[in-house]
Amino acid sequence: MTDGKEEIREALSQLQVKGKKDKDDDEKHAFWDTQPVPALSEDTDALGDGEIGPIDPPVMEKVRKAPYNLPDMFEWSDVNLETDEEAQELYTLLHENYVEDGDNMFRFDYSIPFLRWAMQPPGYRPAWHVGVRVVQTGKLVAFIGCTPAELYAHGVRVQPGPPPPQAEGCSSALPPSAAVAEAA
């Protein structure tokens, strides 16, 4: 009778473990290779002052004042992370719809206290936590959250100017399968 150690050794010897690539390896990035940002292999220390900053600074007069229309079955909603119920809704949305790796092996499982810590840093604004809900059920199906941040590029604080109403520092957390179209 074996103690199981030999079976474990045998199983481990059959695993193929992929190690991390060196920084110099040419690696394709499906998203970042399409963006107007320097590649990981580029030397950004040589960038001049005119090459750092926003690509297209916003013209505040052109920033939309009213929210986009949603299809009739959806509605915009504030998400109040101070309430346990709404914090649990955000946790469930993220946990059930997002994975952190391309192989769909590891699922995000951030605790509610961690989500509150991440989404409510000093200076946050509750109006920056916006959800999309199903009108009929009230279920949270999408979330867009913003947090204040000081940005530095090459040791220089980047001051983008006054934030547009309800739009500073926003990042979308829509489920990957969600597509919200503007109603005409």
Side-chain angles (χ1 to χ4, degrees):
M1 176 184 248
T2 66
D3 61 4
K5 290 181 182 177
E6 189 60 38
E7 291 174 3
I8 292 172
R9 282 190 193 103
E10 178 65 26
L12 288 173
S13 70
Q14 294 177 16
L15 289 175
Q16 290 182 330
V17 180
K18 294 180 180 178
K20 289 189 175 187
K21 295 182 177 183
D22 291 335
K23 285 184 178 181
D24 296 335
D25 287 351
D26 289 332
E27 187 175 337
K28 298 289 183 190
H29 297 278
F31 173 75
W32 289 110
D33 287 348
T34 66
Q35 301 303 303
V37 297
L40 289 175
S41 60
E42 289 183 50
D43 179 15
T44 57
D45 290 335
L47 293 175
D49 289 341
E51 298 174 289
I52 298 173
I55 296 168
D56 295 317
V59 177
M60 297 311 296
E61 292 74 33
K62 292 183 178 180
V63 174
R64 186 183 178 99
K65 305 291 186 258
Y68 283 99
N69 295 322
L70 296 174
D72 291 340
M73 63 189 334
F74 299 105
E75 65 185 355
W76 292 108
S77 168
D78 292 329
V79 177
N80 182 354
L81 296 179
E82 294 292 329
T83 70
D84 291 339
E85 179 182 348
E86 291 191 38
Q88 180 64 48
E89 286 180 294
L90 178 60
Y91 167 83
T92 300
L93 172 72
L94 296 173
H95 179 72
E96 292 180 356
N97 292 283
Y98 293 94
V99 290
E100 65 184 40
D101 69 321
D103 296 326
N104 296 322
M105 297 286 292
F106 301 101
R107 190 161 294 280
F108 282 121
D109 193 15
Y110 297 132
S111 67
I112 290 173
F114 176 83
L115 291 173
R116 285 179 169 148
W117 172 83
M119 296 305 301
Q120 297 175 310
Y124 91 96
R125 296 182 191 176
W128 290 353
H129 300 158
V130 180
V132 175
R133 295 184 181 275
V134 176
V135 171
Q136 191 173 19
T137 64
K139 181 179 180 178
L140 183 67
V141 294
F143 176 77
I144 302 168
C146 307
T147 58
E150 288 188 14
L151 302 176
Y152 290 84
H154 299 277
V156 177
R157 184 169 183 250
V158 177
Q159 187 64 31
Q166 298 182 341
E168 179 184 305
C170 292
S171 62
S172 174
L174 299 174
S177 59
V180 179
E182 179 182 2

Coordinates of all heavy atoms in Angstrom, one line a residue, residues 69-159:
N69 N -29.5 57.2 -23.7 CA -30.7 56.4 -23.5 C -30.3 54.9 -23.6 O -29.5 54.5 -24.3 CB -31.7 56.7 -24.7 CG -32.1 58.1 -24.7 OD1 -32.4 58.7 -23.6 ND2 -32.3 58.7 -25.8
L70 N -31.1 54.1 -22.8 CA -30.9 52.7 -22.7 C -32.1 52.0 -23.4 O -33.2 52.7 -23.5 CB -30.8 52.2 -21.3 CG -29.6 52.7 -20.5 CD1 -29.7 52.2 -19.0 CD2 -28.3 52.1 -21.1
P71 N -32.0 50.8 -23.9 CA -33.2 50.1 -24.3 C -34.2 50.1 -23.2 O -33.9 50.1 -22.0 CB -32.6 48.7 -24.6 CG -31.2 48.9 -24.9 CD -30.8 50.0 -24.0
D72 N -35.5 50.0 -23.6 CA -36.6 50.2 -22.7 C -36.5 49.2 -21.5 O -37.1 49.5 -20.4 CB -37.9 50.0 -23.4 CG -38.2 51.2 -24.3 OD1 -37.6 52.3 -24.1 OD2 -39.1 51.0 -25.2
M73 N -35.9 48.1 -21.6 CA -35.9 47.1 -20.6 C -34.8 47.4 -19.5 O -34.8 46.7 -18.5 CB -35.7 45.7 -21.1 CG -34.3 45.5 -21.8 SD -34.0 44.0 -22.7 CE -35.0 42.8 -22.0
F74 N -34.0 48.4 -19.7 CA -33.0 48.8 -18.8 C -33.1 50.2 -18.3 O -33.7 51.1 -19.0 CB -31.6 48.6 -19.4 CG -31.3 47.3 -19.9 CD1 -31.3 46.9 -21.2 CD2 -30.9 46.3 -19.0 CE1 -31.0 45.7 -21.7 CE2 -30.6 45.0 -19.4 CZ -30.7 44.7 -20.7
E75 N -32.6 50.5 -17.1 CA -32.6 51.9 -16.6 C -31.3 52.1 -15.8 O -30.6 51.2 -15.3 CB -33.7 52.1 -15.6 CG -33.7 51.2 -14.4 CD -34.9 51.3 -13.5 OE1 -35.8 52.2 -13.8 OE2 -35.0 50.6 -12.5
W76 N -30.8 53.4 -15.8 CA -29.7 53.8 -15.1 C -30.0 53.8 -13.6 O -31.2 54.0 -13.2 CB -29.2 55.2 -15.5 CG -28.7 55.3 -16.8 CD1 -29.3 55.9 -17.9 CD2 -27.4 54.8 -17.3 NE1 -28.5 55.8 -19.0 CE2 -27.3 55.1 -18.7 CE3 -26.4 54.1 -16.7 CZ2 -26.2 54.8 -19.5 CZ3 -25.3 53.8 -17.5 CH2 -25.2 54.2 -18.8
S77 N -29.0 53.5 -12.7 CA -29.3 53.5 -11.3 C -28.0 53.9 -10.6 O -26.9 53.5 -11.0 CB -29.7 52.1 -10.9 OG -29.7 51.9 -9.5
D78 N -28.2 54.6 -9.5 CA -27.1 54.8 -8.6 C -26.8 53.5 -7.8 O -27.8 52.7 -7.6 CB -27.4 55.9 -7.6 CG -27.5 57.3 -8.2 OD1 -26.8 57.5 -9.2 OD2 -28.2 58.1 -7.7
V79 N -25.6 53.2 -7.5 CA -25.3 52.0 -6.7 C -24.6 52.5 -5.4 O -23.6 53.1 -5.4 CB -24.3 51.1 -7.5 CG1 -23.9 49.9 -6.6 CG2 -24.9 50.6 -8.8
N80 N -25.3 52.3 -4.3 CA -24.9 52.8 -3.0 C -24.2 51.7 -2.3 O -24.8 50.8 -1.7 CB -26.1 53.3 -2.2 CG -25.7 53.9 -0.9 OD1 -24.6 53.8 -0.5 ND2 -26.7 54.4 -0.1
L81 N -22.9 51.8 -2.3 CA -22.1 50.7 -1.6 C -22.1 50.8 -0.1 O -21.5 50.0 0.6 CB -20.6 50.8 -2.2 CG -20.5 50.5 -3.7 CD1 -19.0 50.6 -4.1 CD2 -21.1 49.1 -4.0
E82 N -22.7 51.9 0.4 CA -22.9 51.9 1.9 C -23.9 50.9 2.4 O -23.9 50.5 3.5 CB -23.3 53.4 2.3 CG -22.3 54.4 2.0 CD -21.0 54.3 2.9 OE1 -21.2 53.8 4.1 OE2 -20.0 54.7 2.4
T83 N -24.8 50.6 1.5 CA -25.9 49.6 2.0 C -25.4 48.2 1.7 O -24.7 47.9 0.6 CB -27.2 49.8 1.2 OG1 -27.1 49.4 -0.1 CG2 -27.7 51.2 1.3
D84 N -25.6 47.3 2.6 CA -25.2 45.9 2.4 C -25.8 45.2 1.2 O -25.2 44.5 0.5 CB -25.5 45.1 3.7 CG -24.6 45.5 4.9 OD1 -23.6 46.1 4.7 OD2 -25.1 45.2 6.0
E85 N -27.1 45.6 1.0 CA -27.8 44.9 -0.2 C -27.2 45.3 -1.5 O -26.9 44.4 -2.3 CB -29.3 45.4 -0.1 CG -30.1 44.8 -1.3 CD -31.5 45.3 -1.3 OE1 -32.0 45.9 -0.3 OE2 -32.2 45.1 -2.3
E86 N -26.9 46.6 -1.7 CA -26.3 47.0 -3.0 C -24.9 46.6 -3.1 O -24.4 46.3 -4.2 CB -26.5 48.5 -3.2 CG -28.0 48.8 -3.4 CD -28.3 50.2 -3.9 OE1 -27.5 50.7 -4.7 OE2 -29.3 50.8 -3.4
A87 N -24.1 46.6 -2.0 CA -22.8 46.1 -2.1 C -22.8 44.6 -2.4 O -21.9 44.1 -3.2 CB -22.1 46.3 -0.7
Q88 N -23.7 43.8 -1.9 CA -23.8 42.4 -2.2 C -24.2 42.2 -3.7 O -23.7 41.3 -4.4 CB -24.9 41.7 -1.4 CG -25.1 40.2 -1.6 CD -23.8 39.4 -1.3 OE1 -23.2 39.5 -0.3 NE2 -23.4 38.6 -2.3
E89 N -25.1 43.1 -4.2 CA -25.4 43.0 -5.7 C -24.2 43.2 -6.6 O -24.0 42.5 -7.5 CB -26.5 44.1 -6.0 CG -27.8 43.8 -5.5 CD -28.8 44.9 -5.9 OE1 -28.6 46.0 -5.4 OE2 -29.7 44.6 -6.8
L90 N -23.3 44.2 -6.2 CA -22.1 44.5 -7.0 C -21.2 43.3 -6.9 O -20.6 42.8 -7.9 CB -21.4 45.7 -6.5 CG -20.1 46.0 -7.3 CD1 -20.3 46.2 -8.8 CD2 -19.5 47.3 -6.7
Y91 N -21.0 42.7 -5.7 CA -20.2 41.6 -5.5 C -20.6 40.4 -6.4 O -19.9 39.8 -7.1 CB -20.2 41.1 -4.0 CG -19.6 39.7 -3.8 CD1 -18.2 39.6 -3.7 CD2 -20.4 38.6 -3.8 CE1 -17.7 38.3 -3.6 CE2 -19.8 37.3 -3.7 CZ -18.5 37.2 -3.6 OH -17.9 35.9 -3.5
T92 N -21.9 40.1 -6.4 CA -22.5 39.0 -7.2 C -22.3 39.3 -8.6 O -21.9 38.4 -9.4 CB -24.0 38.9 -6.8 OG1 -24.1 38.6 -5.4 CG2 -24.6 37.8 -7.7
L93 N -22.5 40.5 -9.1 CA -22.3 40.8 -10.5 C -20.9 40.5 -10.9 O -20.6 39.9 -11.9 CB -22.7 42.3 -10.8 CG -22.3 42.8 -12.2 CD1 -23.3 42.3 -13.2 CD2 -22.3 44.3 -12.2
L94 N -19.9 41.0 -10.2 CA -18.5 40.8 -10.5 C -18.1 39.4 -10.4 O -17.4 38.8 -11.3 CB -17.7 41.7 -9.6 CG -17.8 43.2 -9.8 CD1 -17.0 44.0 -8.7 CD2 -17.5 43.7 -11.2
H95 N -18.5 38.7 -9.3 CA -18.1 37.3 -9.1 C -18.7 36.4 -10.2 O -18.0 35.5 -10.6 CB -18.6 36.9 -7.7 CG -18.2 35.4 -7.5 ND1 -16.9 35.0 -7.2 CD2 -19.0 34.3 -7.4 CE1 -16.9 33.7 -7.0 NE2 -18.1 33.3 -7.1
E96 N -19.9 36.6 -10.6 CA -20.6 35.7 -11.6 C -20.2 36.0 -13.0 O -20.5 35.2 -13.9 CB -22.1 35.7 -11.4 CG -22.5 35.1 -10.1 CD -24.0 35.1 -9.8 OE1 -24.7 35.7 -10.7 OE2 -24.5 34.6 -8.8
N97 N -19.6 37.2 -13.3 CA -19.5 37.6 -14.7 C -18.0 37.8 -15.1 O -17.8 38.1 -16.3 CB -20.3 38.8 -15.0 CG -21.8 38.5 -15.0 OD1 -22.3 37.9 -15.9 ND2 -22.4 38.9 -13.9
Y98 N -17.1 37.8 -14.2 CA -15.7 38.1 -14.5 C -14.8 37.1 -14.1 O -14.9 36.5 -13.0 CB -15.3 39.5 -13.9 CG -16.1 40.6 -14.5 CD1 -17.2 41.1 -13.9 CD2 -15.7 41.2 -15.7 CE1 -18.0 42.1 -14.5 CE2 -16.4 42.2 -16.3 CZ -17.5 42.6 -15.7 OH -18.3 43.6 -16.2
V99 N -13.8 36.8 -15.0 CA -12.7 35.9 -14.6 C -11.4 36.7 -14.9 O -11.4 37.6 -15.7 CB -12.7 34.6 -15.4 CG1 -13.9 33.7 -15.0 CG2 -12.8 34.8 -16.9
E100 N -10.4 36.3 -14.2 CA -9.1 37.1 -14.2 C -8.1 36.6 -15.2 O -7.0 37.1 -15.3 CB -8.5 37.2 -12.8 CG -8.1 36.0 -12.2 CD -7.5 36.2 -10.8 OE1 -8.1 36.9 -10.1 OE2 -6.5 35.5 -10.5
D101 N -8.4 35.5 -15.9 CA -7.4 34.9 -16.8 C -8.1 34.5 -18.1 O -9.3 34.2 -18.1 CB -6.6 33.8 -16.2 CG -7.5 32.5 -16.0 OD1 -8.6 32.7 -15.6 OD2 -7.0 31.4 -16.2
G102 N -7.3 34.4 -19.1 CA -7.8 34.0 -20.5 C -8.3 32.6 -20.6 O -9.1 32.3 -21.4
D103 N -7.9 31.7 -19.6 CA -8.3 30.3 -19.7 C -9.6 30.1 -18.9 O -10.1 29.0 -18.7 CB -7.2 29.4 -19.2 CG -6.0 29.5 -20.0 OD1 -6.2 29.6 -21.3 OD2 -4.9 29.3 -19.5
N104 N -10.2 31.2 -18.3 CA -11.4 31.1 -17.5 C -11.2 30.1 -16.3 O -12.1 29.4 -16.0 CB -12.6 30.7 -18.3 CG -12.9 31.7 -19.4 OD1 -12.8 32.9 -19.1 ND2 -13.3 31.3 -20.5
M105 N -10.0 30.1 -15.7 CA -9.7 29.2 -14.6 C -10.0 29.9 -13.3 O -10.4 29.2 -12.4 CB -8.3 28.8 -14.7 CG -7.9 28.0 -16.0 SD -8.6 26.3 -15.9 CE -7.6 25.6 -14.7
F106 N -9.6 31.1 -13.1 CA -9.7 31.8 -11.8 C -10.7 32.9 -11.8 O -10.7 33.8 -12.7 CB -8.3 32.3 -11.5 CG -7.2 31.3 -11.4 CD1 -6.4 31.2 -12.5 CD2 -7.1 30.4 -10.3 CE1 -5.4 30.2 -12.5 CE2 -6.2 29.5 -10.3 CZ -5.3 29.3 -11.4
R107 N -11.7 32.8 -10.9 CA -12.7 33.8 -10.9 C -12.4 34.8 -9.8 O -11.9 34.5 -8.8 CB -14.0 33.1 -10.6 CG -15.3 33.9 -10.7 CD -16.5 33.1 -10.8 NE -16.6 32.3 -12.0 CZ -16.9 32.7 -13.2 NH1 -17.2 34.0 -13.4 NH2 -17.0 31.9 -14.2
F108 N -12.8 36.1 -10.2 CA -12.6 37.2 -9.2 C -13.5 36.8 -8.0 O -14.6 36.4 -8.1 CB -13.1 38.5 -9.7 CG -12.1 39.2 -10.6 CD1 -12.4 39.5 -11.9 CD2 -10.8 39.5 -10.2 CE1 -11.5 40.1 -12.8 CE2 -9.9 40.1 -11.0 CZ -10.3 40.4 -12.3
D109 N -13.0 37.0 -6.8 CA -13.7 36.8 -5.6 C -13.3 37.8 -4.5 O -12.9 37.5 -3.5 CB -13.5 35.4 -5.1 CG -14.6 35.0 -4.0 OD1 -15.6 35.7 -3.9 OD2 -14.3 34.0 -3.3
Y110 N -13.5 39.1 -4.9 CA -13.1 40.1 -3.9 C -14.2 40.2 -2.9 O -15.4 40.2 -3.2 CB -13.0 41.5 -4.7 CG -11.9 41.5 -5.7 CD1 -12.1 42.0 -6.9 CD2 -10.6 41.0 -5.3 CE1 -11.1 42.0 -7.9 CE2 -9.6 41.1 -6.3 CZ -9.8 41.6 -7.5 OH -8.8 41.6 -8.4
S111 N -13.9 40.4 -1.6 CA -14.8 40.5 -0.6 C -15.5 41.9 -0.7 O -15.0 42.8 -1.3 CB -14.1 40.4 0.8 OG -13.3 41.5 1.0
I112 N -16.7 42.0 0.0 CA -17.4 43.2 0.0 C -16.6 44.3 0.7 O -16.5 45.4 0.2 CB -18.8 43.0 0.6 CG1 -19.7 42.2 -0.3 CG2 -19.4 44.4 1.0 CD1 -21.0 41.8 0.2
P113 N -15.9 44.0 1.8 CA -15.0 45.1 2.4 C -13.9 45.5 1.4 O -13.6 46.7 1.4 CB -14.4 44.4 3.6 CG -15.5 43.4 4.0 CD -16.0 42.9 2.7
F114 N -13.4 44.6 0.7 CA -12.4 45.0 -0.3 C -13.0 45.9 -1.4 O -12.4 46.9 -1.8 CB -11.7 43.8 -1.0 CG -10.7 44.2 -2.0 CD1 -9.4 44.5 -1.7 CD2 -11.1 44.2 -3.4 CE1 -8.5 44.9 -2.7 CE2 -10.2 44.6 -4.4 CZ -8.9 45.0 -4.0
L115 N -14.2 45.5 -1.9 CA -14.8 46.3 -2.9 C -15.1 47.7 -2.4 O -14.9 48.7 -3.1 CB -16.1 45.7 -3.4 CG -16.0 44.4 -4.2 CD1 -17.3 43.8 -4.5 CD2 -15.2 44.7 -5.5
R116 N -15.6 47.8 -1.2 CA -15.8 49.1 -0.6 C -14.5 49.9 -0.4 O -14.5 51.1 -0.7 CB -16.5 49.0 0.8 CG -17.9 48.6 0.7 CD -18.6 48.5 2.0 NE -20.0 48.4 1.9 CZ -20.8 47.6 2.8 NH1 -20.2 47.0 3.8 NH2 -22.1 47.6 2.6
W117 N -13.4 49.3 0.0 CA -12.1 49.9 0.1 C -11.7 50.4 -1.2 O -11.2 51.6 -1.3 CB -11.1 49.0 0.7 CG -9.7 49.5 0.7 CD1 -9.2 50.3 1.7 CD2 -8.7 49.2 -0.2 NE1 -7.9 50.6 1.4 CE2 -7.6 49.9 0.2 CE3 -8.7 48.4 -1.4 CZ2 -6.4 49.8 -0.5 CZ3 -7.5 48.4 -2.1 CH2 -6.4 49.1 -1.7
A118 N -11.8 49.6 -2.3 CA -11.3 50.0 -3.6 C -12.2 51.1 -4.3 O -11.6 51.9 -5.0 CB -11.3 48.8 -4.5
M119 N -13.5 51.1 -4.0 CA -14.4 52.0 -4.7 C -14.7 53.2 -3.9 O -15.4 54.1 -4.4 CB -15.7 51.3 -5.1 CG -15.5 50.1 -6.1 SD -14.7 50.6 -7.6 CE -15.8 51.9 -8.2
Q120 N -14.3 53.3 -2.6 CA -14.6 54.4 -1.8 C -13.3 55.0 -1.1 O -13.3 55.2 0.1 CB -15.6 54.0 -0.7 CG -16.9 53.6 -1.3 CD -17.9 53.0 -0.2 OE1 -17.5 52.2 0.6 NE2 -19.1 53.6 -0.2
P121 N -12.3 55.3 -1.9 CA -11.1 55.9 -1.3 C -11.4 57.4 -0.9 O -12.5 57.9 -1.3 CB -10.1 55.9 -2.5 CG -10.9 56.0 -3.7 CD -12.2 55.2 -3.4
P122 N -10.5 58.0 -0.2 CA -10.8 59.4 0.2 C -11.0 60.2 -1.1 O -10.3 60.1 -2.1 CB -9.4 59.8 0.9 CG -8.9 58.5 1.4 CD -9.3 57.5 0.4
G123 N -12.0 61.0 -1.0 CA -12.4 61.9 -2.1 C -13.3 61.3 -3.1 O -13.7 61.9 -4.1
Y124 N -13.8 60.1 -2.9 CA -14.7 59.4 -3.9 C -16.0 60.2 -3.8 O -16.4 60.9 -2.9 CB -14.9 57.9 -3.6 CG -16.0 57.6 -2.7 CD1 -17.3 57.3 -3.2 CD2 -15.9 57.7 -1.3 CE1 -18.3 57.0 -2.3 CE2 -16.9 57.5 -0.4 CZ -18.1 57.1 -0.9 OH -19.2 56.8 -0.1
R125 N -16.8 60.0 -4.9 CA -18.1 60.6 -5.0 C -19.1 59.5 -5.2 O -19.0 58.8 -6.2 CB -18.2 61.7 -6.1 CG -17.3 62.8 -5.9 CD -17.4 63.8 -7.0 NE -16.4 64.8 -6.9 CZ -16.2 65.8 -7.8 NH1 -17.0 65.9 -8.8 NH2 -15.2 66.6 -7.6
P126 N -20.2 59.4 -4.4 CA -21.2 58.4 -4.6 C -21.8 58.4 -6.0 O -22.2 57.4 -6.6 CB -22.3 58.7 -3.6 CG -21.5 59.4 -2.5 CD -20.4 60.2 -3.2
A127 N -21.9 59.6 -6.6 CA -22.5 59.7 -8.0 C -21.6 59.1 -9.0 O -22.0 58.9 -10.2 CB -22.6 61.2 -8.4
W128 N -20.4 58.7 -8.7 CA -19.5 58.0 -9.6 C -19.7 56.5 -9.6 O -19.0 55.8 -10.3 CB -18.0 58.3 -9.3 CG -17.6 59.7 -9.5 CD1 -18.3 60.7 -10.2 CD2 -16.3 60.2 -9.2 NE1 -17.5 61.8 -10.2 CE2 -16.3 61.6 -9.6 CE3 -15.2 59.7 -8.5 CZ2 -15.2 62.4 -9.4 CZ3 -14.1 60.6 -8.3 CH2 -14.1 61.9 -8.8
H129 N -20.7 56.0 -8.9 CA -21.0 54.6 -8.9 C -22.4 54.4 -9.5 O -23.4 54.6 -8.9 CB -21.1 54.0 -7.4 CG -19.8 54.2 -6.7 ND1 -19.7 54.2 -5.4 CD2 -18.5 54.3 -7.2 CE1 -18.4 54.3 -5.0 NE2 -17.7 54.4 -6.1
V130 N -22.3 54.0 -10.8 CA -23.5 54.0 -11.6 C -23.8 52.6 -12.1 O -22.9 51.9 -12.5 CB -23.4 54.9 -12.8 CG1 -24.6 54.9 -13.7 CG2 -23.1 56.4 -12.4
G131 N -25.0 52.2 -12.0 CA -25.4 50.8 -12.5 C -26.4 50.9 -13.6 O -27.0 51.9 -13.8
V132 N -26.6 49.7 -14.2 CA -27.7 49.5 -15.2 C -28.5 48.4 -14.6 O -27.9 47.3 -14.2 CB -27.2 49.2 -16.6 CG1 -28.3 48.8 -17.5 CG2 -26.4 50.3 -17.2
R133 N -29.8 48.6 -14.5 CA -30.7 47.6 -13.9 C -31.7 47.2 -14.9 O -32.1 48.0 -15.8 CB -31.3 48.1 -12.6 CG -30.4 48.4 -11.5 CD -31.1 48.8 -10.2 NE -30.2 49.1 -9.2 CZ -29.7 48.2 -8.3 NH1 -30.0 46.9 -8.5 NH2 -28.8 48.5 -7.4
V134 N -32.2 46.0 -14.7 CA -33.4 45.5 -15.5 C -34.6 46.2 -14.9 O -34.8 46.0 -13.7 CB -33.5 44.0 -15.4 CG1 -34.8 43.5 -16.2 CG2 -32.3 43.3 -16.0
V135 N -35.4 46.9 -15.7 CA -36.6 47.6 -15.2 C -37.5 46.7 -14.4 O -37.9 46.9 -13.3 CB -37.3 48.3 -16.3 CG1 -38.6 48.9 -15.8 CG2 -36.4 49.4 -16.9
Q136 N -37.8 45.5 -15.0 CA -38.9 44.6 -14.5 C -38.5 44.0 -13.1 O -39.3 43.9 -12.3 CB -39.2 43.6 -15.5 CG -40.4 42.7 -15.1 CD -40.8 41.8 -16.3 OE1 -40.0 41.5 -17.1 NE2 -42.0 41.3 -16.2
T137 N -37.2 43.7 -13.0 CA -36.8 43.0 -11.8 C -35.9 43.8 -10.8 O -35.7 43.4 -9.7 CB -35.9 41.7 -12.2 OG1 -34.7 42.1 -12.8 CG2 -36.8 40.8 -13.0
G138 N -35.3 44.9 -11.4 CA -34.4 45.7 -10.6 C -33.0 45.1 -10.4 O -32.2 45.6 -9.7
K139 N -32.7 44.0 -11.1 CA -31.4 43.3 -11.0 C -30.3 44.1 -11.6 O -30.5 44.7 -12.7 CB -31.5 41.9 -11.8 CG -30.2 41.2 -11.7 CD -30.2 39.8 -12.4 CE -28.9 39.1 -12.2 NZ -28.9 37.8 -12.8
L140 N -29.2 44.2 -10.9 CA -28.0 44.9 -11.4 C -27.3 44.1 -12.4 O -27.0 43.0 -12.2 CB -27.1 45.2 -10.2 CG -25.9 46.0 -10.5 CD1 -26.2 47.5 -10.9 CD2 -24.9 46.0 -9.3
V141 N -27.2 44.6 -13.7 CA -26.6 43.9 -14.8 C -25.3 44.5 -15.3 O -24.7 43.9 -16.1 CB -27.6 43.6 -15.9 CG1 -28.8 42.7 -15.4 CG2 -28.2 44.9 -16.5
A142 N -25.0 45.7 -14.9 CA -23.8 46.4 -15.3 C -23.4 47.4 -14.3 O -24.3 47.9 -13.5 CB -24.0 47.1 -16.7
F143 N -22.1 47.8 -14.2 CA -21.7 48.7 -13.3 C -20.5 49.6 -13.9 O -19.7 49.0 -14.6 CB -21.1 48.0 -12.0 CG -20.5 48.9 -11.0 CD1 -21.3 49.7 -10.2 CD2 -19.1 49.0 -10.9 CE1 -20.8 50.5 -9.2 CE2 -18.6 49.9 -9.9 CZ -19.4 50.6 -9.1
I144 N -20.6 50.9 -13.7 CA -19.5 51.8 -14.1 C -19.1 52.5 -12.9 O -19.9 53.2 -12.2 CB -20.0 52.7 -15.2 CG1 -20.5 52.0 -16.4 CG2 -18.9 53.7 -15.6 CD1 -21.3 52.8 -17.4
G145 N -17.8 52.4 -12.5 CA -17.3 53.0 -11.3 C -16.1 53.9 -11.6 O -15.3 53.6 -12.5
C146 N -16.0 54.9 -10.8 CA -14.9 55.9 -10.9 C -14.3 56.1 -9.6 O -15.0 56.1 -8.6 CB -15.4 57.2 -11.5 SG -16.3 57.1 -13.0
T147 N -13.0 56.3 -9.5 CA -12.4 56.7 -8.3 C -11.4 57.8 -8.6 O -10.8 57.9 -9.7 CB -11.6 55.5 -7.7 OG1 -10.6 55.0 -8.6 CG2 -12.5 54.3 -7.3
P148 N -11.2 58.7 -7.6 CA -10.2 59.8 -7.8 C -8.8 59.2 -7.8 O -8.5 58.2 -7.1 CB -10.5 60.7 -6.6 CG -11.1 59.8 -5.6 CD -11.8 58.8 -6.3
A149 N -8.0 59.8 -8.6 CA -6.6 59.4 -8.6 C -5.7 60.5 -9.0 O -6.1 61.4 -9.8 CB -6.4 58.2 -9.6
E150 N -4.5 60.5 -8.5 CA -3.4 61.5 -8.9 C -2.6 60.7 -9.9 O -2.1 59.6 -9.5 CB -2.6 62.0 -7.7 CG -3.4 63.0 -6.9 CD -2.5 63.6 -5.8 OE1 -1.3 63.5 -5.9 OE2 -3.1 64.2 -4.9
L151 N -2.3 61.2 -11.1 CA -1.6 60.5 -12.1 C -0.2 61.2 -12.2 O -0.1 62.4 -12.2 CB -2.3 60.6 -13.4 CG -3.7 59.9 -13.4 CD1 -4.3 60.1 -14.8 CD2 -3.6 58.5 -13.0
Y152 N 0.8 60.4 -12.4 CA 2.2 60.8 -12.6 C 2.7 60.1 -13.8 O 2.5 58.9 -14.0 CB 3.1 60.5 -11.4 CG 2.7 61.4 -10.2 CD1 1.7 61.0 -9.3 CD2 3.4 62.6 -9.9 CE1 1.3 61.8 -8.2 CE2 3.0 63.4 -8.8 CZ 2.0 63.0 -8.0 OH 1.7 63.7 -6.9
A153 N 3.4 60.9 -14.7 CA 4.1 60.3 -15.8 C 5.5 60.9 -15.8 O 5.7 62.1 -15.8 CB 3.4 60.7 -17.1
H154 N 6.4 60.0 -15.8 CA 7.9 60.3 -15.7 C 8.1 61.3 -14.6 O 8.9 62.3 -14.8 CB 8.3 60.9 -17.1 CG 8.1 60.0 -18.2 ND1 9.1 59.0 -18.5 CD2 7.1 59.8 -19.1 CE1 8.7 58.3 -19.5 NE2 7.5 58.7 -19.9
G155 N 7.5 61.1 -13.4 CA 7.8 61.9 -12.3 C 7.1 63.2 -12.2 O 7.2 64.0 -11.3
V156 N 6.2 63.5 -13.2 CA 5.5 64.8 -13.3 C 4.0 64.5 -13.1 O 3.4 63.6 -13.7 CB 5.7 65.4 -14.7 CG1 4.9 66.7 -14.8 CG2 7.2 65.7 -14.9
R157 N 3.4 65.3 -12.2 CA 2.0 65.1 -11.9 C 1.2 65.6 -13.2 O 1.4 66.7 -13.7 CB 1.5 66.0 -10.7 CG 0.1 65.8 -10.4 CD -0.2 66.4 -9.0 NE -1.6 66.2 -8.7 CZ -2.5 67.1 -8.6 NH1 -2.2 68.3 -8.9 NH2 -3.7 66.8 -8.3
V158 N 0.3 64.7 -13.6 CA -0.5 65.1 -14.8 C -1.8 65.7 -14.3 O -2.5 65.1 -13.5 CB -0.8 63.8 -15.6 CG1 -1.7 64.1 -16.8 CG2 0.5 63.1 -16.1
Q159 N -2.0 66.9 -14.7 CA -3.2 67.7 -14.3 C -4.1 67.8 -15.5 O -3.9 68.7 -16.4 CB -2.8 69.0 -13.8 CG -3.9 69.8 -13.2 CD -4.5 69.1 -12.0 OE1 -3.9 68.5 -11.2 NE2 -5.8 69.3 -11.7

